[in-house]
Amino acid sequence: MAKNKLKRFADLEEMQRVFQPASAYADRDYHLKGKWGAEIFGNNNPIVLELGCGKGEYTVGLSRLFPNQNFIGIDRKGARIWRGAKTINEEQVMNAAFMRAQIQHLGSIFDHREISSIWITFPDPQPQKTREKSRMTAPRFLEMYRKILVSGGRVHLKTDSFPLYEYSLQCAKESGAIIHVSTSDLYATLDTDAVLDIKTTYEKRFLSEGLKICYLSISWPL
Ligand SMILES: C[S@@+](CC[C@H](N)C(=O)[O-])C[C@H]1O[C@@H](n2cnc3c(N)ncnc32)[C@H](O)[C@@H]1O
């Protein structure tokens, strides 16, 4: 393994508010399930997730914009979350955390209604039909999100992939979701705000290539 990666893994072990559960949590509940607010953030403020967060730009950006909410960036790759984790440690951002985990296991990590909203930022589009079940907006994932979200909690998706956007919209409709915002060209159709204006590493790359950004915001009826 590359030296730099090993160094990052070692750094993560030392950092505050970084969680790297052993794989055992896949079979049983993670010890923080239902206790994230009280034990990690020391409050009952809403908890927002960023899934497949990479370097965690939404996690860090939102935590600065909303000091009265808590944010957890989740990605399966430790070397990626290192960037965001380093920032929140250096800047002592107390309302943000990072976790190295597979989103398949969210139901073991968070309790019913423990989460106030979810951001999915530029997930792998998984275009092959055989990979459909791995798309982060596949029905099995939407069902999982619905369980851990509070009533009316939103799922936000940003993607450069029009096929993934269309697929996600279809899955959302079939799941009975309310579609709050749905656009295949975010910056041409919406007046953006400080939240939508946060740009991840992948978003910056896609915009520099002239790609359009699709955006979807959904929730489920109470
Ligand atoms: C295309 S990158 C986007 C990263 C970041 N959100 C951005 O916009 O710059 C997709 C990320 O999703 C993560 N990922 C893919 N499948 C995952 C899974 N099942 N569980 C957790 N993370 C996953 C990858 O490790 C990768 O960092």
Side-chain angles (χ1 to χ4, degrees):
M1 189 180 294
K3 226 172 158 186
N4 195 32
K5 258 190 183 175
L6 290 174
K7 163 92 174 65
R8 288 184 172 197
F9 291 157
D11 285 353
L12 287 174
E13 296 291 337
E14 304 296 318
M15 290 182 188
Q16 302 291 306
R17 296 180 305 291
V18 173
F19 303 89
Q20 305 190 80
S23 54
Y25 74 95
D27 305 321
R28 52 186 156 81
D29 286 347
Y30 187 52
H31 69 283
L32 288 174
K33 181 173 177 173
K35 300 177 187 158
W36 284 90
E39 294 201 3
I40 300 308
F41 298 109
N43 57 50
N44 286 322
N45 293 342
I47 300 175
V48 177
L49 302 183
E50 182 187 7
L51 304 181
C53 68
K55 296 179 183 172
E57 284 89 352
Y58 257 87
T59 303
V60 173
L62 291 173
S63 68
R64 289 180 179 139
L65 288 172
F66 302 104
N68 294 328
Q69 296 181 34
N70 302 315
F71 299 88
I72 306 175
I74 300 179
D75 200 289
R76 64 183 174 196
K77 292 195 176 160
R80 292 211 173 154
I81 61 171
W82 177 88
R83 179 59 268 170
K86 191 162 166 47
T87 301
I88 64 164
N89 274 263
E90 284 175 350
E91 296 181 14
Q92 285 295 298
V93 180
M94 304 308 285
N95 63 329
F98 283 91
M99 183 175 212
R100 183 179 182 192
Q102 295 270 0
I103 65 154
Q104 283 81 341
H105 303 142
L106 286 182
S108 313
I109 299 170
F110 299 103
D111 215 345
H112 284 214
R113 305 190 182 275
E114 191 169 12
I115 299 303
S116 73
S117 62
I118 294 175
W119 282 84
I120 308 173
T121 51
F122 299 89
D124 302 315
Q126 310 281 12
Q128 311 92 319
K129 187 72 185 158
T130 52
R131 301 286 302 159
E132 189 177 329
K133 275 167 78 180
S134 302
R135 295 176 193 155
M136 284 194 187
T137 48
R140 64 178 179 138
F141 287 128
L142 293 185
E143 196 48 43
M144 197 184 283
Y145 306 153
R146 189 176 184 168
K147 283 188 186 144
I148 61 173
L149 279 169
V150 297
S151 294
R154 297 245 186 145
V155 174
H156 305 269
L157 168 74
K158 264 184 166 186
T159 177
D160 63 304
S161 164
F162 183 70
L164 181 71
Y165 160 75
E166 275 196 313
Y167 169 83
S168 305
L169 184 57
Q170 185 62 28
C171 291
K173 285 179 180 164
E174 284 169 11
S175 76
I178 301 163
I179 313 298
H180 297 279
V181 186
S182 162
T183 172
S184 59
D185 191 353
L186 169 60
Y187 298 109
T189 54
L190 284 187
D191 288 331
T192 56
D193 55 15
V195 171
L196 285 171
D197 276 341
I198 296 173
K199 306 238 176 4
T200 70
T201 301
Y202 274 77
E203 178 165 6
K204 284 180 199 150
R205 185 187 302 169
F206 295 137
L207 286 171
S208 75
E209 291 168 5
L211 297 179
K212 290 177 180 161
I213 305 301
C214 307
Y215 171 63
L216 194 57
S217 174
I218 65 169
S219 71
W220 286 276
L222 304 183

